[in-house]
Amino acid sequence: MCQNPFIQIELLSDTTFSRGEGTAGLVDVEVEHDAWGLPFLGGKAVRGLLRDSWLSMQEGFPELAPSAVRLFGPEGDCNESSMLHIGDAVVDEETRRWIQAAQTRTNDPVSPAAVLEALTDIRRQTSEMRQTGAPAETTLRAVRVIVRGLILCAPLRWLADPTPQDVRCLCLALLATRHAGLTRNRGRGHVRMTLDGDPEKTRKAAKGGSV
Amino acid sequence: MNAETSRLRDGGGVRSMAARWIVTGVMSLETAAHFGGEGDTAVDIAVLRDPKEGVPLLPGTSLAGALRGHLADVLGGYRSVEDEKVAVLFGAARSDDEGSQSPLVVFDSLGTLPEGTVSEIRDGVAIDSATGTAEVHKKFDFEVLPAGTCFPVRVELVVGNAKKVVEDPKKEARLVGLLVAALDGLTQGDIALGMRRSRGLGAVKAGRWKALRYDLTKPQDWLAWLTSDHQQPIGDHVQGHSSAAEAIRTACPSLKIEAFDDKRRRLLVDLEMEPAGDLLVRSPATEPEAPDVIHLCTAGKPVLPGTGLAGALRAQALRIARLVREGHGDGDCWVDRLFGPRLKGGNKDSEGGQAAASKLRLTESFLEDSDVRRQTRIAIDRFTGGVVSGALFEEQVQVGGKLKIRVELRDPSDPEIGLLLLLLKDLLSGNIPVGGTVAVGRGVLRGTARVRLPGETVYEIAQDLSVNKEARKVFDKKIAAFHEAETLKAEEARP
């Protein structure tokens, strides 16, 4: 299981956390994955998503502005003054160990490609030309998606004891972050982010209750 | 914005939000549908399925594309250059690198098949109009979802730029108006989804619309949205409505939704037909005791597919056009304009042009109140006069019944209407048999028609093909336009 505290990211729809490149002959857009074939989302991307959500909602919660600066850091911060470190969001430790054992065993080892294939699917799409109603040329794309249902955990490390306002600010940003990855406005990347994998606890903290 | 919040702000700016609309509905398939997928399946083209549970999947990309296309049709007319208002709701067009992200989130949808049904297999084949037989290498099969399959629809609209919206509420009214105009396409059944939608597949209708609005200028509404359920954002206590507009008005009565003029020009023909005898659209039987061939059904009901009807109409249109336009030699071009060009050899380059969808759209029609009859047939050896060994077979045909068929011609010109009227005359008088085994007298249809020309004028055509004086005058004018039209060049066959 993930170590506490952590951010749990549950994929409610198929998702593409893209690595910005394809796999020749297979897909035009590949998902970010590690050497074991396990999809992950970088901690920097998680922070970016939370920060973006907060920026959109900050005027609704002016009393949490100092906490937001402590959590997400000021603009253009090169000193890493943020009090919250967010790790990469990866599958849980037990699954990782099983996958690693399966890939390093001497008899019939599983390949990283097989692991990636098991956890993902490939979607193909094309555009239509409005003037003819026929498919537009050179728009056929093959995009890999992580199959919905996968749960990723990003470990959190507080550099100082967080105040209740800090935790509330984080939980509000978590609950507001509901779409991530490529084509997130078109069905993919519907996610549920919670603190320590507990939706109720996250909601309670967002409302200002103690956790 | 105070000093603390401004420290967070980065070069990309802040997307502030004034409101968040959540609109849900339930969409059901009026006819069979194919939302494309692929995989190692027994059929040539399988439907797209959710990789986790194997249920049918309608991607948000497909639904958003269909809604965008419909809104562009309403605002500018069929196949028009996209109105700039479309990008306000759906984001920048593919070629526009400077445009902005769409404020509309369209969710993926997982389908539920009607109880007791499974996905169906359809056969497709091209018929050579010269010989009336199947063309070589043009036989294929594809999987379809049965009529009645339900897909939940969920969209969320983020009304951004809080300060401007608060100052001018019309901005939100305009954005919501665009959303209503797009969703109306689902409510009215004007949007079809997936493959072969110009031939009746993928017709949908949506209802049970619900809407919620969160005023994101208020902290309590922010909290209400944040703590709402991720997957079921609108509870059962919210009442469903027949249209998205009604649901939105109920959710926010003070908002005056902006209405837009419908610029679509189309000719609609509603046909009420009856088979004069038997009708058989061949489909392989799945039950062991069933006859060798049965009539095509979807969700247990017999249907006349738009593909079969379109094929029969196209063949007759070719005969008419070649005869009428003999002096001009452009009969085939007129038929291509109406039905879409055929790609010879499966390669568009061999034709030297671009593929195009058909301007003529036909529905897939359910055969109501028909009876089923089993008929045993056998081949006779012409030399001996005896039966041919192993040639005994059984067919299950549909007898009688009623069909309601809708024919739509988009953005029609007068000569195109003229050609369609000539086709209608032949169809209503039973000269265009449809379906299979027409050589033994099956597939003859007769009936009446209501023709609605662009501009909402409606004319009736009776079973004996009689029309009133005004209709005769108008129809004659359109048919004369087809006779007298300038010669079409080959490139004009494609829109």
Side-chain angles (χ1 to χ4, degrees), chain B residues 180-204:
Chain B
V180 166
L183 294 178
D184 261 355
L186 294 176
T187 310
Q188 306 294 338
D190 284 340
I191 291 178
L193 299 165
M195 175 175 149
R196 290 200 161 171
R197 51 191 188 271
S198 65
R199 297 294 176 255
L201 289 188
V204 296

Side-chain angles (χ1 to χ4, degrees), chain A residues 23 31-32 61 83-84 106 125 134-135 149 181 185-186 194 204:
Chain A
T23 299
V31 298
E32 186 82 276
F61 305 93
M83 67 181 290
L84 180 65
T106 48
Q125 65 183 71
N185 278 9
R186 293 292 175 262
T194 49
K204 194 178 165 192

Side-chain angles (χ1 to χ4, degrees), chain A residues 43-57:
Chain A
K44 192 172 169 59
V46 179
R47 172 185 290 277
L49 288 165
L50 295 176
R51 183 187 171 92
D52 181 57
S53 295
W54 177 258
L55 286 173
S56 291
M57 65 199 285

Side-chain angles (χ1 to χ4, degrees), chain A residues 2 5 12 17 19 40 52-53 62 65 90 106 112 118 126 131 134 136 148 158 173 182 187 191-192 197 204:
Chain A
C2 302
L12 302 177
F17 294 136
R19 68 190 320 178
F40 72 96
D52 181 57
S53 295
V90 295
T106 48
T126 186
Q131 277 69 27
R148 71 191 174 93
W158 296 97
L182 278 191
V191 298
R192 174 162 40 212
K204 194 178 165 192

Side-chain angles (χ1 to χ4, degrees), chain B residues 11-328:
Chain B
V14 176
R15 189 173 67 152
S16 62
M17 298 180 191
R20 192 174 190 105
W21 280 93
I22 298 174
V23 182
T24 64
V26 178
M27 184 172 76
S28 67
L29 296 181
E30 296 280 291
T31 62
H34 175 96
F35 307 141
E38 63 173 48
D40 303 326
T41 56
V43 290
D44 296 316
I45 316 172
V47 296
L48 183 62
R49 290 181 180 280
D50 168 48
K52 191 178 180 196
E53 291 174 21
V55 295
L57 171 68
L58 174 62
T61 45
S62 300
L63 185 56
L67 291 171
R68 181 179 194 131
H70 174 73
L71 183 62
D73 288 345
V74 169
L75 295 179
Y78 292 116
R79 295 184 181 180
S80 59
V81 176
E82 194 179 89
D83 190 289
E84 59 188 21
K85 287 194 280 293
V86 175
V88 173
L89 183 64
F90 286 100
R94 187 165 23 93
S95 52
D96 182 7
D97 293 335
E98 303 290 316
S100 59
Q101 191 187 36
S102 168
L104 185 72
V105 184
V106 183
F107 287 71
D108 281 357
S109 179
L110 299 176
T112 311
L113 267 60
E115 212 172 315
T117 64
V118 291
S119 64
E120 299 160 359
I121 308 294
R122 289 276 177 101
D123 287 311
V125 69
I127 303 290
D128 187 320
S129 59
T131 64
T133 56
E135 285 186 31
V136 181
H137 304 308
K138 293 288 176 69
K139 177 83 175 67
F140 63 100
D141 53 16
F142 58 101
E143 188 182 13
V144 293
L145 303 170
T149 303
C150 282
F151 287 89
V153 179
R154 178 177 168 189
V155 296
E156 292 191 11
L157 178 65
V158 178
V159 183
N161 222 336
K163 270 185 189 166
K164 284 188 180 172
V165 170
V166 171
E167 284 166 13
D168 181 10
K170 277 186 183 170
K171 284 189 188 299
E172 183 175 356
R174 201 167 304 137
L175 196 59
V176 173
L178 290 168
L179 177 63
V180 166
L183 294 178
D184 261 355
L186 294 176
T187 310
Q188 306 294 338
D190 284 340
I191 291 178
L193 299 165
M195 175 175 149
R196 290 200 161 171
R197 51 191 188 271
S198 65
R199 297 294 176 255
L201 289 188
V204 296
K205 266 202 174 170
R208 282 153 61 191
W209 290 103
K210 295 179 180 185
L212 264 186
R213 180 183 184 270
Y214 292 102
D215 181 352
L216 300 184
T217 57
K218 297 174 184 167
Q220 63 269 32
D221 270 28
W222 259 113
L223 262 184
W225 173 64
L226 292 169
T227 52
S228 67
D229 192 275
H230 281 63
Q231 286 173 302
Q232 297 227 317
I234 303 184
D236 293 336
H237 64 281
V238 177
Q239 197 195 342
H241 297 271
S242 58
S243 73
E246 211 177 303
I248 285 171
R249 273 190 207 104
T250 308
C252 185
S254 61
L255 189 75
K256 305 288 176 226
I257 301 169
E258 190 169 321
F260 298 94
D261 289 337
D262 189 348
K263 299 260 179 72
R264 289 175 296 171
R265 275 187 75 254
R266 55 182 173 167
L267 175 142
L268 291 172
V269 184
D270 288 306
L271 296 158
E272 292 199 6
M273 310 292 285
E274 289 179 13
D278 308 344
L279 185 62
L280 177 65
V281 178
R282 288 194 196 93
S283 173
T286 50
E287 301 297 323
E289 301 83 19
D292 300 298
V293 176
I294 60 169
H295 187 92
L296 179 70
C297 292
T298 182
K301 291 181 186 171
V303 288
L304 174 64
T307 46
L309 181 59
L313 288 176
R314 184 180 188 121
Q316 185 72 355
L318 267 175
R319 289 182 206 112
I320 295 170
R322 282 174 184 169
L323 180 69
V324 172
R325 304 289 299 176
E326 194 179 6
H328 299 267

